[in-house]
Amino acid sequence: MKAVSGLLEHLDGQVIKGTVEGEISALVYDSRKVTKDCMFVCIKGAVYDSHEHTEEVVNKGARVIVAERSVEVPEGVTLVLVPDTRCALALLSAAYFDHPARKLKVIGITGTKGKTTTTFMVREILEHAGYKVGLMGTIETIIGEKRIPANNTTPESYMVQEYFAQMVEAGCQVCVMEVSSQGLMMHRTAGIPFEIGIFTNLAPDHIGPNEHASFEEYAACKGLLFRQCRIGIANVDDTHFEKVLKGHTCALETIGFSEKADYRASQVELIGRPGYLGVSYHISGKMDLDVEIDLPGTFSVYNSLVAIAVCEHFQVSQADLKEALKVVKTKGRIEMIKVSEDFTLMIDYAHNAMSLESLLLTLKEYHPKRLICVFGCGGNRSRLRRYEMGEVSGRLADLTVITSDNPRFEEPQAILDDIKVGMARTDGAFVEIIDRKEAIRYAIENGQKGDVIVLAGKGHEDYQEIKGKKYPMDERDLIRQVLEELA
């Protein structure tokens, strides 16, 4: 039970009816989960507005209603009006769980690309140095030994605070979390006292209905993190650095290749051998250090620079840093799978044209004998994405194996036919094999010395969605099965 007056203490709200005396049994924002004597927060969604269902909520037993507009409530029920119920939910949730974020060092990472890899990198280094670290991100939430698959990059604010509370209970000292522009715009992170905020990069994405109205709004939402953190660490090389950091209120540090970066990378050397692609470089500025990371490409330099800058604030030794960076791995993000002494195979989540192009251009820098791309596209999604991804793979890969991804309610062959429309704009060679396991078998069986094979699109996903049902399918298992059958 929680005292109503205590929960409302830091809320910008007005009690229109009823009393703030007494206690509530629960804090609820889903009308299906209303319990007797709970506090219910009305949320207006894209489809459903619970302001219109307060009678039903009260009949189920809610004793306090928090709303953005005046609604009818009977005697004995308290009505609190606030300017924004999403923001109110975040602040109420923090109070309901006794402000768990204040007992953690919270690190928030925002940007178009690199959030997931950087999040896991920071966690890996800090854990290696002896800290107990919780994680919230696109792939999963990690609390001690518990791993919870994620539905959103940044969960609803109530869940964020509940996870923080569980992390505190599990003995975590730090939480590193991905912070999406949607999460910032919808106040899911309101009231969190971020110790460090991180900006990786910005490119046009998430712009459209039910997302961001414009690129300017997208950039502005990313920038909100830097008015809510004590220290900001940002990529000074990014074209939109000034736009995102405009109006920041934090102490700012920068990373990049630029002379003005506080943590500056130079002497970059690509390291490639069968089964291994990495990069080494030198850091100067606030640190003097040679590092090597077991991930390919320039963007891996940026991600690791951010992680290194963060870990400086946690007094991580240079020996721990170097050791952790050599072994850091993120499931489904340029994840190397050793299958042969002759060629390199990896799994990556690249599932749109922009991320696929970035990945393939990075891999081409290693001058493979052939670059082979195995990918498909999701059903019931934009057909334009299929044309674009087909064109990118046709232009950059030496061979494309077109296969099935999550067909959902579409026929897989129809999706493959759309991908081929994009392929036809290039002179790229391709084969089409609908069954994903057979597509992987083909790529492995035909792998040659010096090839780099990338399985793109599924990444960390361990299922295939067909006609409304998710069937177990993990590419790591498929690879293992293929190797056993070939042996």
Side-chain angles (χ1 to χ4, degrees):
M1 301 292 281
K2 295 283 180 178
V4 176
S5 57
L7 293 179
L8 298 178
E9 191 178 355
H10 301 293
L11 205 63
D12 178 18
Q14 187 180 0
V15 179
I16 300 298
K17 187 175 182 180
T19 176
V20 296
E21 300 302 313
E23 296 180 324
I24 56 149
S25 60
L27 176 64
V28 182
Y29 61 95
D30 182 336
S31 58
R32 294 165 298 186
K33 297 179 180 177
V34 173
T35 56
K36 182 170 169 50
D37 293 330
C38 73
M39 175 184 285
F40 183 80
V41 183
C42 298
I43 300 289
K44 184 181 188 305
V47 179
Y48 183 87
D49 182 357
S50 53
H51 286 84
E52 294 168 8
H53 301 273
T54 50
E55 186 179 350
E56 171 197 337
V57 166
V58 168
N59 288 340
K60 285 182 177 177
R63 71 168 296 251
V64 181
I65 301 289
V66 180
E68 283 179 16
R69 61 176 192 261
S70 190
V71 292
E72 285 296 320
V73 297
E75 290 301 319
V77 173
T78 300
L79 174 63
V80 182
L81 286 191
V82 295
D84 187 309
T85 50
R86 287 191 182 277
C87 185
L89 177 62
L91 300 177
L92 288 166
S93 299
Y96 185 77
F97 288 104
D98 296 322
H99 302 282
R102 294 178 185 173
K103 301 159 195 166
L104 296 162
K105 297 280 189 188
V106 183
I107 301 164
I109 302 177
T110 198
T112 304
K113 292 181 290 187
K115 292 191 298 296
T116 302
T117 301
T118 307
T119 301
F120 275 88
M121 214 176 250
V122 170
R123 179 179 183 270
E124 193 99 10
I125 298 170
L126 289 177
E127 287 254 324
H128 194 83
Y131 289 92
K132 191 160 185 184
V133 185
L135 180 146
M136 251 186 272
T138 304
I139 298 176
E140 60 192 347
T141 291
I142 304 173
I143 304 167
E145 298 302 310
K146 185 163 64 173
R147 291 175 180 256
I148 306 156
N151 292 322
N152 299 95
T153 298
T154 308
E156 187 53 82
S157 57
Y158 180 91
M159 198 173 288
V160 168
Q161 296 295 335
E162 186 174 24
Y163 286 157
F164 282 156
Q166 289 179 23
M167 287 176 192
V168 170
E169 195 176 325
C172 293
Q173 301 142 291
V174 183
C175 171
V176 56
M177 65 183 291
E178 294 182 51
V179 182
S180 67
S181 54
Q182 286 283 92
L184 286 158
M185 181 174 74
M186 299 173 85
H187 303 296
R188 290 175 186 162
T189 57
I192 297 172
F194 286 100
E195 176 69 10
I196 299 176
I198 292 161
F199 166 60
T200 58
N201 52 60
L202 193 72
D205 199 14
H206 301 293
I207 296 159
N210 301 327
E211 291 194 281
H212 295 288
S214 65
F215 182 69
E216 284 65 34
E217 182 187 282
Y218 178 50
C221 287
K222 293 284 188 198
L224 293 172
L225 179 60
F226 303 95
R227 300 175 195 182
Q228 201 179 326
C229 62
R230 192 175 74 81
I231 299 162
I233 298 172
N235 175 4
V236 74
D237 294 347
D238 191 84
T239 316
H240 306 291
F241 170 83
E242 299 287 351
K243 190 190 289 268
V244 172
L245 274 297
K246 185 181 178 184
H248 73 84
T249 56
C250 56
L252 190 62
E253 295 177 354
T254 55
I255 61 100
F257 289 87
S258 164
E259 292 280 355
K260 58 188 176 185
D262 295 312
Y263 294 85
R264 180 177 175 242
S266 60
Q267 301 168 37
V268 175
E269 187 181 338
L270 303 179
I271 302 164
R273 54 184 180 268
Y276 179 91
L277 300 177
V279 61
S280 67
Y281 64 96
H282 181 74
I283 306 172
S284 56
K286 288 198 170 189
M287 184 183 280
D288 184 36
L289 185 68
D290 290 315
V291 297
E292 182 179 329
I293 50 175
D294 190 2
L295 291 166
T298 305
F299 59 81
S300 296
V301 174
Y302 281 113
N303 293 343
S304 57
L305 272 176
V306 165
I308 289 164
V310 168
C311 292
E312 266 288 88
H313 291 280
F314 288 85
Q315 286 79 52
V316 176
S317 73
Q318 292 194 356
D320 276 332
L321 265 180
K322 291 177 80 163
E323 207 174 307
L325 283 168
K326 286 279 286 177
V327 296
V328 69
K329 293 224 181 307
T330 307
K331 187 179 181 183
R333 301 302 196 276
I334 321 183
E335 182 185 352
M336 309 278 179
I337 309 287
K338 188 68 185 278
V339 298
S340 167
E341 295 298 331
D342 292 332
F343 57 82
T344 303
L345 182 141
M346 70 184 67
I347 295 171
D348 192 83
Y349 189 50
H351 61 292
N352 58 37
M354 180 174 66
S355 55
L356 186 63
E357 181 165 30
S358 175
L359 174 65
L360 296 182
L361 285 171
T362 292
L363 298 177
K364 282 180 82 71
E365 290 177 1
Y366 287 81
H367 305 294
K369 179 181 179 183
R370 295 184 305 165
L371 179 55
I372 298 167
C373 181
V374 181
F375 84 99
C377 289
N380 303 104
R381 298 292 186 269
S382 166
R383 294 178 71 190
L384 182 63
R385 176 179 288 190
R386 303 169 193 175
Y387 307 151
E388 290 172 345
M389 288 184 73
E391 187 171 353
V392 164
S393 190
R395 177 164 45 85
L396 296 176
D398 297 293
L399 173 66
T400 300
V401 183
I402 309 171
T403 187
S404 190
D405 193 294
N406 292 319
R408 298 188 177 90
F409 290 95
E410 285 193 68
E411 286 303 318
Q413 187 61 54
I415 299 171
L416 268 64
D417 290 343
D418 282 342
I419 294 170
K420 288 189 291 184
V421 171
M423 290 287 310
R425 298 170 185 164
T426 74
D427 56 5
F430 71 91
V431 295
E432 53 181 304
I433 303 171
I434 287 180
D435 184 279
R436 200 166 184 103
K437 179 182 172 183
E438 292 309 310
I440 291 169
R441 183 197 304 277
Y442 179 88
I444 290 174
E445 272 191 307
N446 290 279
Q448 299 174 15
K449 193 174 183 66
D451 283 353
V452 171
I453 302 169
V454 59
L455 313 182
K458 294 296 290 175
H460 60 277
E461 291 181 354
D462 57 3
Y463 62 85
Q464 188 171 43
E465 191 176 340
I466 303 170
K467 300 200 184 313
K469 188 174 177 186
K470 289 183 177 179
Y471 295 88
M473 190 192 80
D474 188 318
E475 288 189 317
R476 293 147 206 82
D477 294 335
L478 298 184
I479 292 165
R480 190 168 56 252
Q481 290 164 20
V482 165
L483 291 177
E484 286 170 0
E485 289 162 15
L486 291 176

